[in-house]
Amino acid sequence: MDTADLTEEPSDPPGAPTGPTDLACVLYTSGSTGLPTGALVEHRNLLSAYRGWREVYGLSPADRILQTSSLEFDVFTADWVRALGSGATLVVAPRNLTLDRTADLAGLPALVAAEGITVLELNARLARRLAAHLARSGEPRTGEPLTGTPLPGVRLLTVGAEKWYLDEQLGLQRLLGDGTRVLNVYGLAEAGVDSAYFDAQGTAATGDGERVSLIGRPFPGTRVYVVGPRRPPRPPRPAGALAFGGGGPGRAAPHPAPATPPPAARAGGDPDGRVLLTGDIGRLRDDGVLEFLGRAAHVVGPVPFARKAAVVSRVAAAARAEGRLRAHPAVREAVVVELELRPGRRSLVGYAVTAPDADGADGWSLSQYLAAQLPGGDAPEAVVPVPELPRTRAGKLDRAALPLPAPPKHTAAGSAKAGSRTGKGGGGKAGGGRSGTSDLPGCLVLGCVVFFSLMAWVSTNVFFPGATQLGAVPDAYHFWFELLYLCENLAFGAGVAFLFFGFPAVLRQGRSYRLSLLTYLSVVWLLASWWPQDNLYRLTDATDWPRETAMVFTFNVPLMAAALVVLIFLIRRPAARR
């Protein structure tokens, strides 16, 4: 369109049959607490989020924003809203730094310089990689700033999507210099992406930097509450469940059941009456800065809101242990999660990425270190050294893929390679995984399968006389029916063996105890029921409708239900993650 044509167009905003509370978009979460879900975001939510970004980030038409994520993540939407609202330029990176694990960050400074980038957002994993690259590429001496500007022109770098510790933020701030603001940003897709931020500029290094993650203060137009059990939102309390109010929260919350009704929200001081419980636990420090402790769903899974008081203490214990583990000189990266290592009993387990050939970097030594640092039984039951922490497509920690520690009896007490604490008897080898088999010898399990298969074969004519007679079957089909009978007997033997030995293997997958028990019984039924079922069918007249009906509801319907239980087990995220 020519300039002359543009001048003839109306200059007034086009009419649109939409209002502030109409749906603007659906933002899908990254799936860190389960399967990705769609967050219903209204026009007023996006407008409130943009106003907060504009004020805190100082956005203007002169800015050039680098897009490092892909369109499936909420950060992509946040970037184009920031650019579109301010008139800034959105520059799409030639490689997807979030999904492309092979992307080399060494080319990022050159890309920033070539494109004149002024605003940049990274997830915590990319920020750690960037800091490591900058530290390797020219830091003269520890404690001194780099010469020159590592990211020329970048005035603002924001980091989010995962817990980012204060020492990491201050370290990156020092590497980039005073010309770049480094923010730790916290939020959820359901609340307009970003809700709170902490600015590292002007913050002095502290002795507890490796143990705390500061998310600072709410963005303008957003309210952050620390909520206690069965209490309406109120001005922040010392510690509790984090909740958002103001213009950010959309229509749906990730935990709708315990959400406070609008009247209580208004009574708590939120004029919009819409409060979103995040599923996270935080603490208000004496200086008024909000500290992020951890995600309740990562520790105990979904729980009634009435139990949040117990959740707070358990999340805080995991946060303390994780901070202490990170402070170990041999540890480069760490995480502490709560897992159900034994039926009905949940325990803390630590995972550490250690420096190569570092002293005291084995699981037993790290466990002893934490036991000394955290008296009173708060130390993790085991510490598992890993070469790297598993990641999801969004670059976040994949807690479901963390390996389980081997049982303590697998390693002699006091072994230098043990991962479990020996204070309660016996050390455990650090390592192992969800693919591990039963502690019983494989020959015993195989022997059980063979024995009960033979028992089924011998007992067929006792319990179902004539069921395997092939007199009326053409000779050409004898082999196939005999093979069928053999398979039925083997399935019965496998089912009985699984009944004896299979439950620990199901529990190791990390799902809830109830679902694990139902799945265990379902697998037993799926395997063992074919032998009696087919024998009874072969002995039943086709027109014996009462017996046919009884068998259908005795065998076929439970088989369908068992298959459905197994399906739910397969698609349900492990309890350590949600």
Side-chain angles (χ1 to χ4, degrees):
M1 183 178 290
D2 296 333
T3 304
D5 296 330
L6 288 174
T7 58
E8 297 177 359
E9 296 294 324
S11 59
D12 297 331
T18 57
T21 59
D22 289 326
L23 185 66
C25 64
V26 179
L27 297 180
Y28 278 86
T29 63
S30 61
S32 60
T33 59
L35 293 176
T37 57
L40 304 180
V41 179
E42 299 170 352
H43 287 274
R44 72 183 188 98
N45 304 138
L46 287 182
L47 181 59
S48 176
Y50 169 71
R51 286 171 175 167
W53 289 323
R54 181 184 60 189
E55 182 173 338
V56 174
Y57 294 174
L59 299 174
S60 73
D63 280 316
R64 294 177 63 84
I65 303 172
L66 182 62
Q67 170 56 254
T68 62
S69 184
S70 60
L71 56 86
E72 62 188 278
F73 301 131
D74 56 1
V75 175
F76 181 90
T77 302
D79 277 341
W80 69 253
V81 169
R82 288 191 280 256
L84 186 64
S86 63
T89 300
L90 183 63
V91 179
V92 179
R95 302 187 69 177
N96 190 320
L97 298 181
T98 299
L99 297 183
D100 190 349
R101 306 298 173 84
T102 65
D104 187 4
L105 288 184
L108 184 60
L111 174 64
V112 165
E115 295 291 345
I117 301 301
T118 61
V119 177
L120 172 64
E121 178 165 355
L122 300 174
N123 61 36
R125 175 177 176 270
L126 290 176
R128 293 184 180 108
R129 291 180 58 198
L130 175 63
H133 167 70
L134 295 179
R136 289 192 305 266
S137 62
E139 185 175 15
R141 288 188 299 273
T142 302
E144 293 186 8
L146 291 170
T147 58
T149 305
L151 296 180
V154 175
R155 63 173 186 81
L156 177 67
L157 173 61
T158 64
V159 178
E162 195 176 52
K163 191 174 186 179
W164 200 39
Y165 283 88
L166 178 59
D167 65 324
E168 298 175 310
Q169 184 180 3
L170 294 177
L172 186 55
Q173 178 68 76
R174 182 177 60 81
L175 288 169
L176 295 179
D178 294 337
T180 303
R181 294 174 64 203
V182 178
L183 305 185
N184 183 17
V185 179
Y186 168 84
L188 294 132
E190 297 89 346
V193 186
D194 295 329
S195 299
Y197 70 97
F198 180 75
D199 194 337
Q201 278 194 334
T203 302
T206 61
D208 63 348
E210 72 278 358
R211 300 196 298 270
V212 299
S213 175
L214 302 183
I215 55 177
R217 308 177 188 279
F219 276 86
T222 300
R223 293 171 180 81
V224 180
Y225 303 104
V226 180
V227 188
R230 297 192 181 279
R231 297 177 183 270
R234 58 175 60 187
R237 297 163 56 86
L242 294 178
F244 293 145
R251 297 181 184 178
H255 306 288
T260 306
R266 287 192 290 270
D270 197 278
D272 296 299
R274 181 179 287 179
V275 174
L276 170 69
L277 288 169
T278 67
D280 292 335
I281 303 300
R283 173 188 293 120
L284 186 69
R285 295 160 56 101
D286 293 338
D287 55 5
V289 174
L290 199 63
E291 177 185 349
F292 176 72
L293 294 180
R295 174 144 292 182
H298 286 161
V299 178
V300 294
V303 294
F305 189 47
R307 293 176 54 196
K308 277 292 191 295
V311 173
V312 170
S313 62
R314 294 164 75 175
V315 172
R320 285 193 299 270
E322 184 173 303
R324 294 290 182 178
L325 186 56
R326 290 189 73 253
H328 191 283
V331 175
R332 296 187 301 183
E333 195 173 357
V335 66
V336 174
V337 300
E338 188 181 61
L339 302 174
E340 189 173 34
L341 300 181
R342 287 171 292 280
R345 179 183 174 187
R346 305 186 68 87
S347 304
L348 293 179
V349 178
Y351 297 87
V353 180
T354 58
D357 302 323
D359 293 334
D362 58 273
W364 184 84
S365 298
L366 293 174
S367 294
Q368 294 299 308
Y369 162 79
L370 288 181
Q373 293 284 322
L374 299 167
D378 288 339
E381 183 166 326
V383 177
V384 182
V386 292
E388 64 179 2
L389 296 175
R391 297 286 172 180
T392 65
R393 280 175 50 83
K396 295 185 179 182
L397 177 69
D398 189 352
R399 295 172 184 258
L402 290 169
L404 292 181
K409 62 183 178 181
H410 279 199
T411 305
S415 168
K417 295 183 179 180
S420 299
R421 292 181 301 166
T422 57
K424 296 184 179 180
K429 185 176 181 180
R434 301 185 188 277
S435 59
T437 57
S438 173
D439 300 339
L440 295 168
C443 58
L444 178 60
V445 178
L446 180 61
C448 182
V449 173
V450 173
F451 175 78
F452 284 101
S453 298
L454 290 174
M455 288 292 295
W457 186 279
V458 172
S459 303
T460 298
N461 288 328
V462 176
F463 295 104
F464 313 105
T468 57
Q469 294 294 329
L470 299 176
V473 177
D475 293 342
Y477 292 93
H478 279 200
F479 168 78
W480 299 109
F481 276 91
E482 289 173 350
L483 179 62
L484 172 64
Y485 302 154
L486 174 62
C487 291
E488 291 173 352
N489 293 326
L490 288 174
F492 180 80
V496 177
F498 195 78
L499 178 66
F500 290 155
F501 308 124
F503 194 38
V506 178
L507 285 175
R508 273 199 295 271
Q509 306 310 307
R511 275 71 172 183
S512 68
Y513 182 85
R514 181 181 300 177
L515 179 59
S516 297
L517 178 61
L518 288 176
T519 302
Y520 157 71
L521 296 176
S522 297
V523 172
V524 172
W525 183 255
L526 286 169
L527 289 170
S529 65
W530 293 105
W531 172 63
Q533 174 188 242
D534 274 8
N535 283 306
L536 286 172
Y537 268 114
R538 286 190 288 268
L539 295 175
T540 303
D541 188 275
T543 59
D544 188 350
W545 298 115
R547 192 172 184 182
E548 289 277 353
T549 303
M551 284 193 298
V552 166
F553 282 90
T554 302
F555 291 101
N556 288 11
V557 173
L559 282 172
M560 299 175 199
L564 180 60
V565 170
V566 173
L567 175 63
I568 295 174
F569 181 86
L570 292 175
I571 64 177
R572 181 70 62 86
R573 289 293 180 99
R577 188 174 193 173
R578 180 172 175 81

